[in-house]
Amino acid sequence: MSYDHLFSEAKLGDLTLPHRIIMAPLTRSRSAQPGDVPQDLNVTYYQQRSTAALIISEATQISPQGKGYAYTPGIHSNEQIQGWKKITDAVHQRGSKIFLQLWHVGRVSHSSLQPDGVLPVAPSAIAPEGQAFTEEGFKDFEIPRALETNEISGIVEQYKIAAINAKTAGFDGVEVHAANGYLLDQFLKDGTNKRTDEYGGSLENRVRLTIEVIKAVSEVWSGDRVGIRLSPTGTFNSMSDSDPQSLFNHLVEKLNAFNLAYIHVVERFGDVNDESFDFALLRQRFNGAYIANGGYTGESAEKSLGDNQSDFIAFGTPFISNPDLPLRLKKGAKLNDADPNTFYGGNEEGYTDYPSLEQELRPA
Ligand code: 8OZ
Protein backbone atom coordinates (compact mmCIF):
# COMPACT_ATOMS: atom_id res chain seq x y z
CA MET A 1 0.00 0.00 0.00
CA SER A 2 1.11 3.58 -0.40
CA TYR A 3 1.74 5.61 2.68
CA ASP A 4 0.94 9.12 1.50
CA HIS A 5 0.03 10.40 4.94
CA LEU A 6 2.95 8.74 6.74
CA PHE A 7 5.35 10.30 4.29
CA SER A 8 4.03 13.84 4.34
CA GLU A 9 5.84 16.70 6.02
CA ALA A 10 4.41 18.24 9.18
CA LYS A 11 5.13 20.73 11.93
CA LEU A 12 5.87 19.58 15.46
CA GLY A 13 6.15 22.69 17.61
CA ASP A 14 8.46 24.95 15.61
CA LEU A 15 10.18 22.00 13.91
CA THR A 16 9.27 20.87 10.42
CA LEU A 17 9.59 17.10 10.26
CA PRO A 18 9.99 15.33 6.90
CA HIS A 19 7.49 12.55 7.70
CA ARG A 20 5.30 11.20 10.52
CA ILE A 21 7.35 8.29 11.82
CA ILE A 22 8.76 8.92 15.29
CA MET A 23 10.96 6.58 17.29
CA ALA A 24 9.28 5.91 20.64
CA PRO A 25 11.29 5.96 23.88
CA LEU A 26 12.70 2.46 24.49
CA THR A 27 14.39 1.32 27.68
CA ARG A 28 17.36 -0.83 26.64
CA SER A 29 19.46 -0.79 29.84
CA ARG A 30 22.87 -0.57 28.22
CA SER A 31 24.57 2.45 29.78
CA ALA A 32 28.20 2.25 30.93
CA GLN A 33 28.88 1.37 34.54
CA PRO A 34 29.52 2.72 37.03
CA GLY A 35 27.60 5.97 36.66
CA ASP A 36 24.80 5.11 34.17
CA VAL A 37 26.68 6.90 31.37
CA PRO A 38 25.70 6.81 27.66
CA GLN A 39 28.55 5.15 25.75
CA ASP A 40 29.78 4.57 22.18
CA LEU A 41 27.55 1.50 21.78
CA ASN A 42 24.54 3.76 22.41
CA VAL A 43 25.86 6.31 19.88
CA THR A 44 25.86 3.62 17.20
CA TYR A 45 22.34 2.50 18.15
CA TYR A 46 20.80 5.97 17.94
CA GLN A 47 22.75 6.89 14.82
CA GLN A 48 21.46 3.75 13.07
CA ARG A 49 17.90 4.91 13.79
CA SER A 50 18.28 8.53 12.70
CA THR A 51 16.01 8.28 9.69
CA ALA A 52 13.15 8.61 12.20
CA ALA A 53 11.61 12.07 11.80
CA LEU A 54 12.25 12.50 15.52
CA ILE A 55 13.89 10.21 18.07
CA ILE A 56 12.58 10.29 21.61
CA SER A 57 15.36 9.00 23.84
CA GLU A 58 14.96 6.09 26.20
CA ALA A 59 13.62 7.12 29.61
CA THR A 60 16.45 8.90 31.43
CA GLN A 61 16.65 9.48 35.18
CA ILE A 62 16.62 13.15 36.14
CA SER A 63 18.33 12.45 39.47
CA PRO A 64 19.76 9.52 41.47
CA GLN A 65 16.41 9.34 43.29
CA GLY A 66 14.58 9.07 39.96
CA LYS A 67 16.28 5.79 39.05
CA GLY A 68 14.35 2.54 39.15
CA TYR A 69 16.10 0.07 36.87
CA ALA A 70 19.71 -1.09 36.67
CA TYR A 71 21.80 0.20 33.74
CA THR A 72 19.39 2.94 32.57
CA PRO A 73 21.07 6.26 31.74
CA GLY A 74 20.86 9.50 33.67
CA ILE A 75 21.13 13.22 32.87
CA HIS A 76 22.36 14.50 36.24
CA SER A 77 26.16 14.05 36.08
CA ASN A 78 28.76 15.68 33.85
CA GLU A 79 29.81 12.32 32.42
CA GLN A 80 26.21 11.58 31.46
CA ILE A 81 25.82 14.98 29.78
CA GLN A 82 29.04 14.42 27.80
CA GLY A 83 27.90 10.90 26.84
CA TRP A 84 24.57 12.21 25.58
CA LYS A 85 26.35 14.98 23.65
CA LYS A 86 28.01 12.34 21.47
CA ILE A 87 24.59 10.86 20.74
CA THR A 88 22.91 14.16 19.88
CA ASP A 89 25.87 15.10 17.64
CA ALA A 90 25.65 11.77 15.80
CA VAL A 91 21.88 12.10 15.28
CA HIS A 92 22.21 15.69 14.06
CA GLN A 93 25.00 14.71 11.71
CA ARG A 94 22.52 12.32 10.07
CA GLY A 95 19.93 15.09 9.81
CA SER A 96 17.46 13.93 12.45
CA LYS A 97 16.21 15.43 15.72
CA ILE A 98 16.23 14.01 19.23
CA PHE A 99 14.28 14.83 22.41
CA LEU A 100 15.33 13.60 25.84
CA GLN A 101 12.70 11.81 27.91
CA LEU A 102 12.79 13.07 31.51
CA TRP A 103 12.07 10.28 33.98
CA HIS A 104 11.47 9.99 37.70
CA VAL A 105 10.22 6.51 38.56
CA GLY A 106 8.74 7.30 41.99
CA ARG A 107 7.77 4.02 43.66
CA VAL A 108 8.91 1.83 40.74
CA SER A 109 12.37 1.41 42.26
CA HIS A 110 14.12 -0.39 45.09
CA SER A 111 16.20 0.76 48.04
CA SER A 112 19.23 -0.99 46.52
CA LEU A 113 18.98 1.41 43.53
CA GLN A 114 18.53 4.49 45.71
CA PRO A 115 21.25 6.81 47.11
CA ASP A 116 22.17 5.66 50.65
CA GLY A 117 19.79 2.71 50.31
CA VAL A 118 16.72 4.71 51.32
CA LEU A 119 13.19 3.74 50.28
CA PRO A 120 11.82 4.98 46.94
CA VAL A 121 9.43 7.94 47.13
CA ALA A 122 5.81 8.19 45.95
CA PRO A 123 2.65 10.23 46.48
CA SER A 124 1.40 7.62 48.98
CA ALA A 125 2.85 4.63 50.81
CA ILE A 126 1.47 1.98 48.45
CA ALA A 127 3.70 -0.61 46.78
CA PRO A 128 3.26 -1.74 43.19
CA GLU A 129 2.95 -5.47 42.61
CA GLY A 130 5.94 -7.30 41.23
CA GLN A 131 9.67 -6.82 41.28
CA ALA A 132 12.29 -4.21 40.53
CA PHE A 133 15.20 -4.90 38.16
CA THR A 134 18.35 -4.26 40.21
CA GLU A 135 22.03 -4.95 39.66
CA GLU A 136 21.62 -8.03 41.85
CA GLY A 137 18.63 -9.33 39.91
CA PHE A 138 14.89 -8.97 40.53
CA LYS A 139 13.74 -7.85 44.00
CA ASP A 140 10.22 -7.45 45.39
CA PHE A 141 8.93 -3.88 45.34
CA GLU A 142 8.93 -2.23 48.77
CA ILE A 143 6.36 0.08 50.33
CA PRO A 144 7.56 3.55 49.24
CA ARG A 145 7.85 6.59 51.47
CA ALA A 146 5.14 9.19 50.87
CA LEU A 147 6.68 12.54 49.95
CA GLU A 148 6.15 15.38 52.42
CA THR A 149 4.42 18.42 50.93
CA ASN A 150 7.53 20.52 51.46
CA GLU A 151 9.65 18.09 49.42
CA ILE A 152 7.65 18.56 46.23
CA SER A 153 9.32 21.77 45.11
CA GLY A 154 12.59 19.80 45.21
CA ILE A 155 11.11 17.24 42.79
CA VAL A 156 10.10 20.04 40.40
CA GLU A 157 13.65 21.39 40.70
CA GLN A 158 15.07 17.97 39.71
CA TYR A 159 13.09 18.18 36.44
CA LYS A 160 14.22 21.73 35.82
CA ILE A 161 17.91 20.94 36.31
CA ALA A 162 17.58 17.89 34.05
CA ALA A 163 15.95 20.09 31.39
CA ILE A 164 18.91 22.48 31.61
CA ASN A 165 21.32 19.54 31.34
CA ALA A 166 19.44 18.31 28.26
CA LYS A 167 20.15 21.65 26.64
CA THR A 168 23.83 21.39 27.47
CA ALA A 169 23.82 17.88 25.98
CA GLY A 170 22.56 19.23 22.65
CA PHE A 171 19.03 17.83 22.57
CA ASP A 172 16.35 19.49 20.42
CA GLY A 173 13.75 19.35 23.17
CA VAL A 174 12.44 17.27 26.05
CA GLU A 175 9.55 14.92 26.69
CA VAL A 176 8.23 14.76 30.24
CA HIS A 177 7.41 11.13 31.09
CA ALA A 178 4.03 11.23 32.80
CA ALA A 179 2.98 7.74 31.66
CA ASN A 180 3.37 4.06 32.50
CA GLY A 181 3.08 4.25 36.27
CA TYR A 182 6.07 6.44 37.09
CA LEU A 183 6.11 9.36 39.53
CA LEU A 184 3.90 11.86 37.67
CA ASP A 185 1.40 9.18 36.67
CA GLN A 186 1.36 8.05 40.33
CA PHE A 187 0.28 11.57 41.31
CA LEU A 188 -2.28 11.81 38.49
CA LYS A 189 -4.19 8.60 39.18
CA ASP A 190 -6.29 7.97 42.25
CA GLY A 191 -5.27 4.32 42.61
CA THR A 192 -1.83 5.52 43.76
CA ASN A 193 -2.53 9.05 45.01
CA LYS A 194 -4.31 9.05 48.39
CA ARG A 195 -2.89 12.36 49.53
CA THR A 196 -4.88 14.83 51.59
CA ASP A 197 -2.73 17.89 50.84
CA GLU A 198 -2.97 20.14 47.75
CA TYR A 199 -1.39 17.38 45.62
CA GLY A 200 -4.15 14.81 46.18
CA GLY A 201 -7.92 14.43 46.06
CA SER A 202 -9.55 16.64 43.41
CA LEU A 203 -8.54 16.58 39.72
CA GLU A 204 -7.11 20.05 40.20
CA ASN A 205 -4.88 18.74 42.98
CA ARG A 206 -3.80 15.54 41.28
CA VAL A 207 -2.65 17.32 38.10
CA ARG A 208 -0.83 19.97 40.15
CA LEU A 209 2.60 18.33 40.21
CA THR A 210 2.57 17.53 36.48
CA ILE A 211 1.58 21.11 35.67
CA GLU A 212 4.29 22.49 37.99
CA VAL A 213 6.85 20.29 36.23
CA ILE A 214 5.67 21.39 32.77
CA LYS A 215 5.82 25.01 33.87
CA ALA A 216 9.38 24.62 35.20
CA VAL A 217 10.58 22.78 32.10
CA SER A 218 8.91 25.37 29.83
CA GLU A 219 10.97 28.06 31.54
CA VAL A 220 14.10 26.27 30.28
CA TRP A 221 12.83 25.26 26.83
CA SER A 222 10.11 27.19 25.09
CA GLY A 223 6.88 25.21 25.26
CA ASP A 224 7.09 24.29 21.58
CA ARG A 225 10.18 22.18 22.37
CA VAL A 226 8.41 20.32 25.16
CA GLY A 227 6.16 17.28 24.90
CA ILE A 228 4.54 15.03 27.47
CA ARG A 229 3.84 11.30 27.44
CA LEU A 230 0.56 10.07 28.87
CA SER A 231 -1.03 6.65 29.33
CA PRO A 232 -4.64 7.33 30.39
CA THR A 233 -5.73 3.69 30.44
CA GLY A 234 -2.41 2.07 31.29
CA THR A 235 -2.32 -0.57 34.01
CA PHE A 236 1.43 -1.32 33.77
CA ASN A 237 3.13 -0.93 37.18
CA SER A 238 -0.18 -1.61 39.00
CA MET A 239 -1.87 1.61 37.89
CA SER A 240 -5.57 2.46 38.01
CA ASP A 241 -7.85 5.47 38.02
CA SER A 242 -11.56 5.67 38.76
CA ASP A 243 -12.31 8.13 35.91
CA PRO A 244 -9.41 8.51 33.46
CA GLN A 245 -11.46 10.42 30.85
CA SER A 246 -12.26 13.27 33.24
CA LEU A 247 -8.72 13.26 34.62
CA PHE A 248 -6.96 13.44 31.26
CA ASN A 249 -9.48 15.85 29.70
CA HIS A 250 -8.77 18.15 32.62
CA LEU A 251 -5.03 17.69 32.32
CA VAL A 252 -4.79 18.51 28.61
CA GLU A 253 -6.91 21.62 29.08
CA LYS A 254 -4.44 22.82 31.71
CA LEU A 255 -1.54 21.91 29.41
CA ASN A 256 -2.92 24.21 26.72
CA ALA A 257 -1.56 27.20 28.65
CA PHE A 258 2.01 26.16 27.76
CA ASN A 259 1.74 25.79 23.96
CA LEU A 260 3.46 22.43 24.11
CA ALA A 261 4.70 20.74 20.96
CA TYR A 262 2.75 17.57 21.61
CA ILE A 263 1.03 15.02 23.78
CA HIS A 264 2.37 11.52 23.18
CA VAL A 265 -0.34 9.08 24.06
CA VAL A 266 0.17 5.40 24.86
CA GLU A 267 -3.19 4.17 23.62
CA ARG A 268 -2.54 0.55 24.47
CA PHE A 269 0.24 -1.37 26.18
CA GLY A 270 0.82 -4.90 24.93
CA ASP A 271 -2.56 -6.45 24.20
CA VAL A 272 -4.54 -4.34 26.62
CA ASN A 273 -6.91 -2.04 24.78
CA ASP A 274 -9.51 -0.18 26.80
CA GLU A 275 -12.30 0.71 24.34
CA SER A 276 -14.06 2.89 26.90
CA PHE A 277 -11.56 5.75 26.58
CA ASP A 278 -12.16 8.38 23.89
CA PHE A 279 -8.70 9.33 22.59
CA ALA A 280 -10.22 11.49 19.84
CA LEU A 281 -11.79 13.66 22.50
CA LEU A 282 -8.41 14.11 24.17
CA ARG A 283 -6.86 15.11 20.86
CA GLN A 284 -9.70 17.54 20.14
CA ARG A 285 -9.18 19.30 23.46
CA PHE A 286 -5.45 19.73 23.06
CA ASN A 287 -3.94 22.64 21.10
CA GLY A 288 -0.68 20.92 20.01
CA ALA A 289 0.15 17.82 17.99
CA TYR A 290 -1.05 14.33 18.94
CA ILE A 291 1.49 11.51 18.71
CA ALA A 292 -0.22 8.12 18.85
CA ASN A 293 1.63 5.09 20.18
CA GLY A 294 0.90 1.46 20.90
CA GLY A 295 1.11 -1.50 18.55
CA TYR A 296 0.78 0.46 15.29
CA THR A 297 1.70 -1.15 11.97
CA GLY A 298 2.44 0.82 8.80
CA GLU A 299 -1.10 0.18 7.69
CA SER A 300 -2.87 1.15 10.91
CA ALA A 301 -0.61 4.19 11.20
CA GLU A 302 -1.53 5.36 7.69
CA LYS A 303 -5.22 4.86 8.50
CA SER A 304 -4.95 6.76 11.80
CA LEU A 305 -3.33 9.73 10.06
CA GLY A 306 -5.69 9.56 7.09
CA ASP A 307 -8.75 9.42 9.36
CA ASN A 308 -7.40 12.47 11.21
CA GLN A 309 -7.05 10.55 14.48
CA SER A 310 -3.40 11.53 14.99
CA ASP A 311 -0.62 13.78 13.69
CA PHE A 312 2.39 11.48 14.16
CA ILE A 313 2.88 7.83 15.06
CA ALA A 314 5.56 6.66 17.48
CA PHE A 315 6.85 3.16 16.78
CA GLY A 316 8.66 1.30 19.56
CA THR A 317 9.33 -2.41 19.04
CA PRO A 318 9.56 -2.12 15.23
CA PHE A 319 12.47 0.32 15.66
CA ILE A 320 14.35 -2.20 17.84
CA SER A 321 14.64 -4.70 15.01
CA ASN A 322 14.42 -2.35 12.00
CA PRO A 323 16.92 0.49 12.34
CA ASP A 324 15.78 1.89 8.97
CA LEU A 325 12.05 1.45 9.61
CA PRO A 326 10.93 4.47 7.51
CA LEU A 327 12.73 3.13 4.40
CA ARG A 328 11.31 -0.36 4.93
CA LEU A 329 7.77 1.01 5.19
CA LYS A 330 8.25 3.21 2.16
CA LYS A 331 9.52 0.29 0.08
CA GLY A 332 7.00 -2.19 1.46
CA ALA A 333 9.95 -4.30 2.60
CA LYS A 334 9.69 -7.11 5.11
CA LEU A 335 10.15 -6.14 8.76
CA ASN A 336 12.44 -8.11 11.07
CA ASP A 337 10.93 -9.45 14.29
CA ALA A 338 12.43 -8.20 17.54
CA ASP A 339 13.86 -10.69 20.04
CA PRO A 340 12.48 -9.97 23.54
CA ASN A 341 15.43 -11.80 25.14
CA THR A 342 17.73 -8.93 24.20
CA PHE A 343 15.41 -5.98 24.96
CA TYR A 344 17.02 -5.13 28.31
CA GLY A 345 20.71 -5.22 29.18
CA GLY A 346 23.60 -6.95 27.46
CA ASN A 347 25.77 -5.76 24.60
CA GLU A 348 25.47 -5.17 20.85
CA GLU A 349 23.57 -8.42 20.36
CA GLY A 350 19.93 -7.55 19.68
CA TYR A 351 20.87 -3.88 19.92
CA THR A 352 23.08 -2.67 17.08
CA ASP A 353 23.24 -5.87 15.02
CA TYR A 354 19.81 -5.75 13.34
CA PRO A 355 20.52 -5.21 9.64
CA SER A 356 19.50 -2.30 7.48
CA LEU A 357 17.73 -3.16 4.24
CA GLU A 358 20.90 -2.29 2.37
CA GLN A 359 22.91 -4.77 4.44
CA GLU A 360 20.30 -7.45 3.86
CA LEU A 361 20.26 -6.96 0.11
CA ARG A 362 24.02 -6.77 -0.26
CA PRO A 363 25.38 -10.12 -1.50
CA ALA A 364 27.54 -11.80 1.15
C1 8OZ B 1 9.81 -1.31 30.01
C2 8OZ B 1 10.84 -1.67 30.86
C3 8OZ B 1 11.45 -0.71 31.63
C4 8OZ B 1 11.04 0.60 31.57
C5 8OZ B 1 8.19 2.73 30.34
C6 8OZ B 1 10.44 3.37 30.86
O1 8OZ B 1 7.31 1.88 30.43
C7 8OZ B 1 9.59 2.38 30.65
C8 8OZ B 1 10.01 0.97 30.72
C9 8OZ B 1 9.40 0.01 29.94
O2 8OZ B 1 7.93 3.89 30.03
Side-chain angles (χ1 to χ4, degrees):
M1 87 180 255
S2 80
Y3 292 128
D4 295 343
H5 294 97
L6 261 182
F7 291 100
S8 64
E9 188 179 279
K11 294 274 275 189
L12 184 68
D14 68 330
L15 299 171
T16 302
L17 303 188
H19 58 77
R20 313 298 182 100
I21 301 165
I22 289 178
M23 180 173 160
L26 292 161
T27 289
R28 305 302 309 275
S29 309
R30 283 167 169 89
S31 63
Q33 302 305 314
D36 301 334
V37 180
Q39 55 181 325
D40 290 348
L41 177 65
N42 314 127
V43 176
T44 305
Y45 165 81
Y46 281 107
Q47 188 165 37
Q48 286 174 341
R49 287 157 181 76
S50 37
T51 56
L54 170 71
I55 293 172
I56 302 165
S57 83
E58 66 205 271
T60 298
Q61 50 256 9
I62 58 172
S63 64
Q65 183 193 66
K67 174 178 176 176
Y69 298 77
Y71 317 127
T72 50
I75 187 75
H76 51 83
S77 75
N78 263 322
E79 289 89 340
Q80 291 164 350
I81 295 169
Q82 294 320 311
W84 279 117
K85 184 75 173 63
K86 291 190 193 166
I87 292 172
T88 61
D89 283 347
V91 169
H92 291 151
Q93 199 195 349
R94 293 277 172 99
S96 189
K97 304 280 182 202
I98 181 166
F99 277 32
L100 180 70
Q101 197 192 45
L102 301 175
W103 194 29
H104 189 309
V105 298
R107 67 177 188 164
V108 184
S109 185
H110 188 272
S111 50
S112 66
L113 292 163
Q114 290 287 307
D116 305 319
V118 299
L119 285 173
V121 297
S124 303
I126 305 167
E129 281 168 40
Q131 297 186 310
F133 176 55
T134 79
E135 272 141 46
E136 299 95 47
F138 286 94
K139 295 189 181 176
D140 289 350
F141 285 123
E142 301 151 311
I143 298 175
R145 179 177 70 81
L147 286 160
E148 301 291 340
T149 309
N150 67 11
E151 289 179 279
I152 294 195
S153 60
I155 299 278
V156 175
E157 192 62 18
Q158 291 174 24
Y159 280 92
K160 185 162 190 172
I161 292 169
I164 294 168
N165 291 345
K167 235 180 196 178
T168 310
F171 285 94
D172 298 290
V174 291
E175 173 174 291
V176 172
H177 195 349
N180 299 346
Y182 301 110
L183 184 69
L184 297 178
D185 202 22
Q186 290 159 31
F187 271 84
L188 291 171
K189 291 180 180 160
D190 59 14
T192 39
N193 184 342
K194 308 289 183 191
R195 300 179 71 88
T196 54
D197 65 0
E198 65 264 38
Y199 292 92
S202 64
L203 294 184
E204 193 73 23
N205 284 354
R206 281 187 278 134
V207 305
R208 191 180 308 280
L209 176 58
T210 299
I211 295 297
E212 287 179 356
V213 166
I214 290 292
K215 179 168 183 290
V217 167
S218 304
E219 284 162 10
V220 177
W221 293 86
S222 69
D224 60 6
R225 293 297 182 100
V226 176
I228 183 169
R229 196 167 204 221
L230 307 172
S231 56
T233 57
T235 57
F236 182 54
N237 286 322
S238 314
M239 294 306 292
S240 66
D241 188 79
S242 57
D243 184 2
Q245 191 82 53
S246 302
L247 170 61
F248 285 88
N249 285 354
H250 180 79
L251 176 62
V252 298
E253 280 179 2
K254 298 286 266 191
L255 291 174
N256 283 337
F258 301 94
N259 279 313
L260 299 186
Y262 65 84
I263 53 173
H264 176 186
V265 184
V266 184
E267 297 172 341
R268 58 197 75 75
F269 206 95
D271 296 330
V272 183
N273 192 8
D274 185 346
E275 299 286 346
S276 68
F277 194 90
D278 188 348
F279 291 102
L281 189 59
L282 205 60
R283 177 164 182 257
Q284 227 174 63
R285 293 193 175 216
F286 181 62
N287 62 13
Y290 181 99
I291 305 178
N293 170 252
Y296 279 90
T297 62
E299 228 161 274
S300 63
E302 177 67 15
K303 182 165 177 1
S304 168
L305 295 165
D307 292 348
N308 200 21
Q309 301 284 326
S310 60
D311 301 296
F312 295 88
I313 309 290
F315 293 88
T317 315
F319 260 116
I320 291 180
S321 48
N322 300 280
D324 54 352
L325 181 67
L327 181 71
R328 284 171 187 267
L329 291 177
K330 191 159 207 170
K331 292 208 177 269
K334 172 183 110 350
L335 299 187
N336 296 312
D337 290 330
D339 176 6
N341 295 313
T342 50
F343 280 2
Y344 311 112
N347 48 28
E348 61 280 352
E349 194 196 337
Y351 189 57
T352 52
D353 62 356
Y354 286 105
S356 67
L357 201 52
E358 196 192 355
Q359 286 167 328
E360 267 173 35
L361 299 176
R362 197 185 297 147

